[in-house]
Amino acid sequence: MPEPGPTRTVALVSPLWYGHHPVYFGHFTRSFLRAGARVIGLCPDPDTGQREIQAALDGVVPDWEDRVILHRLRTGGRSWFGGRFEGDPYHTFQRWRYAAQALDDAEAASGWPIDLVHFPYIDAYLRFLPFSPVPEITIGRPWSGLYLRNHHHRSADRKGCGPLRMLAKGDALMRSSLCREVGVLDERFVDSMSDYLVKPVVHYPDITSTQLPKREPELTRKVRENAAGRKIIGLIGLETRKGMLNMLRVALKAHEAGLPWFFVFAGVFDRDAYSREDLAFIETVFARIKSCELDNIHFDPEAGRIPTEADFNSLFSSFDIAWAAFEGFQGSSGTLSKAGAFQIPALATAGECIGHRLEHFGIGLTIPEGDTDKAFDAILRLITGIDWNDTALEPDFEAFNRAHSADRFDALTAALIG
């Protein structure tokens, strides 16, 4: 990709550093570098940030270290409201102040004038702070951001979303005169948001890495070995919203039916996220796994985070069906992007972004939220290759992957700084 005239400098500001946030920090850095820009990266852990960038680049930009400077960013605390939210009027404003100080320090240390500040997760800078002058009095530079939790902009929710709730969301801050553009992953509400903000709102692809390790990791080898030829239904990341409990119930039903299915529950299991009743159920299932009574489930509650994206991809690519039947979750998900990239049919909850996207491209089947019987039936249909109408499934993985490609992502970031 040719460099666009004078070298521009983009500052990436990422205050949260768990889950997908470090990965997206790497993706945005890669994309801005490919557009010819220099990048000042502000994040809580620059060492990890450097590794994420290196993994995202994978040799694509060999001189990247000459065009990237990383600085530590103070993050700001959780909200006053029992820590339930990522902000409140004080902590959200504090994030803007911390960002402004880090930008000034990084600009002075590097000697690179910052042309654009980009927030890969702007949500953390909005909540309970609906004042458009805030960016002017803090960072004082043109900015843009990727907004993930925008689902209150659907028409039905907008009608029931009173003035106080809209103020709490903080969306009015994006009306700042310095805001150039807002990106979203959920394409359903672009027009509604654009009307509200009176500025460009752009649908970004939910891109993902497909890099595989040079050698098969031990976890992938163990899963394949224990599956012993059975169809693998897999979930990575065991948060409550991912429907782990329902998938466990499906696994028990498959065991009782003697079906040749193998269920993989991988990644970090946070006991504190589950109720006492749910934990009792999970621990009962785990005891049956340990006693070898259940041989169709892989689940290690003490397992840590899968160490690298390549290791994650290795395990994911071993699945025959990807579990995306999330619960109480409205947004986009990298799970579906992984399924598309590796051409693995997925099972999702009907409605919301994931279900809408899966049905649009025909890359799996949807079920009512939390419905164990329907999930069981859907897996049987996916394995046999038929839909709910008993006709052959015709997934359009190619179209899905085009819509969520790195090339399209790069074109959007290049336009942003062009």
Side-chain angles (χ1 to χ4, degrees):
M1 183 178 294
E3 294 197 5
T7 301
R8 295 178 179 272
T9 300
V10 178
L12 283 179
V13 182
S14 186
L16 303 184
W17 209 245
Y18 57 84
H20 66 273
H21 296 292
V23 174
Y24 256 76
F25 183 82
H27 284 324
F28 269 109
T29 301
R30 172 188 181 275
S31 195
F32 282 123
L33 288 173
R34 293 195 71 193
R38 296 176 300 205
V39 175
I40 294 175
L42 308 179
C43 65
D45 185 352
D47 290 339
T48 305
Q50 186 169 25
R51 291 195 291 273
E52 290 290 348
I53 294 167
Q54 194 164 11
L57 288 168
D58 194 24
V60 170
V61 184
D63 65 337
W64 71 271
E65 289 180 290
D66 297 329
R67 294 163 53 200
V68 175
I69 291 176
L70 297 174
H71 280 257
R72 191 175 303 279
L73 175 68
R74 294 176 69 185
T75 60
R78 300 287 290 183
S79 74
W80 293 326
F81 312 113
R84 289 180 57 220
F85 306 105
E86 285 157 8
D88 53 53
Y90 172 75
H91 286 102
T92 303
F93 183 67
Q94 186 182 54
R95 282 201 175 100
W96 283 99
R97 290 178 54 225
Y98 286 161
Q101 185 61 60
L103 289 166
D104 290 344
D105 292 346
E107 194 174 60
S110 66
W112 297 349
I114 295 170
D115 298 289
L116 177 74
V117 179
H118 186 76
F119 299 90
Y121 183 61
I122 190 59
D123 307 46
Y125 289 86
L126 300 178
R127 297 303 186 238
F128 304 99
L129 196 67
F131 307 113
S132 60
V134 167
E136 281 86 339
I137 64 178
T138 54
I139 64 173
R141 299 170 175 88
W143 63 277
S144 59
L146 185 65
Y147 193 19
L148 271 62
R149 298 177 183 175
N150 63 331
H151 312 102
H152 50 286
H153 281 280
R154 84 182 83 203
S155 58
D157 285 359
R158 281 282 294 277
K159 291 174 183 175
C161 194
L164 286 178
R165 185 182 174 201
M166 284 302 293
L167 284 173
K169 294 293 183 182
D171 291 8
L173 189 145
M174 292 183 287
R175 291 173 171 170
S176 158
S177 62
L178 290 176
C179 179
R180 296 291 177 258
E181 174 186 293
V182 177
V184 294
L185 294 183
D186 189 336
E187 62 271 32
R188 294 175 296 164
F189 317 120
V190 166
D191 292 340
S192 175
M193 279 191 66
S194 183
D195 290 344
Y196 178 78
L197 299 177
V198 197
K199 64 178 69 242
V201 176
V202 178
H203 170 224
Y204 272 70
D206 197 341
I207 60 173
T208 191
S209 164
T210 57
Q211 180 185 11
L212 293 168
K214 293 179 180 177
R215 294 184 179 180
E216 186 173 74
E218 176 63 20
L219 177 57
T220 308
R221 185 201 61 75
K222 182 178 179 182
V223 163
R224 289 189 189 277
E225 184 178 287
N226 291 341
R230 290 174 287 183
K231 296 295 183 181
I232 300 174
I233 300 94
L235 171 66
I236 304 179
L238 306 180
E239 301 97 316
T240 53
R241 67 176 175 85
K242 290 195 172 182
M244 173 188 173
L245 291 170
N246 193 30
M247 185 169 148
L248 273 177
R249 290 192 288 268
V250 175
L252 294 178
K253 186 171 182 176
H255 175 75
E256 291 168 7
L259 291 171
W261 302 351
F262 189 75
F263 293 80
V264 173
F265 299 80
V268 176
F269 173 66
D270 181 6
R271 285 181 171 81
D272 294 337
Y274 289 86
S275 69
R276 186 175 300 177
E277 181 182 1
D278 291 339
L279 273 178
F281 168 65
I282 292 168
E283 287 168 0
T284 298
V285 173
F286 182 62
R288 294 176 66 188
I289 296 169
K290 284 183 68 177
S291 69
C292 299
E293 180 189 346
L294 292 174
D295 68 346
N296 69 329
I297 300 174
H298 168 87
F299 171 48
D300 178 3
E302 304 303 324
R305 186 173 185 269
I306 295 176
T308 69
E309 189 79 358
D311 289 349
F312 186 112
N313 292 339
S314 174
L315 179 61
F316 197 100
S317 65
S318 73
F319 299 163
D320 295 288
I321 296 171
W323 180 276
F326 298 174
E327 299 174 16
F329 180 73
Q330 300 87 14
S332 180
S333 171
T335 296
L336 206 59
S337 298
K338 295 282 188 196
F342 292 110
Q343 301 199 4
I344 298 168
L347 172 64
T349 299
E352 301 301 353
C353 182
I354 298 174
H356 167 81
R357 200 175 282 167
L358 181 145
E359 290 174 346
H360 178 75
F361 292 100
I363 57 174
L365 294 176
T366 60
I367 61 167
E369 183 174 301
D371 192 322
T372 303
D373 292 337
K374 279 287 188 181
F376 182 90
D377 292 344
I379 291 171
L380 186 60
R381 287 174 177 273
L382 288 171
I383 289 172
T384 54
I386 58 172
D387 63 17
W388 290 116
N389 297 315
D390 295 327
T391 58
L393 285 167
E394 296 181 354
D396 196 345
F397 289 113
E398 185 178 346
F400 178 91
N401 292 331
R402 279 199 308 271
H404 295 277
S405 69
D407 287 344
R408 183 166 170 264
F409 190 93
D410 287 349
L412 292 172
T413 54
L416 186 56
I417 63 170

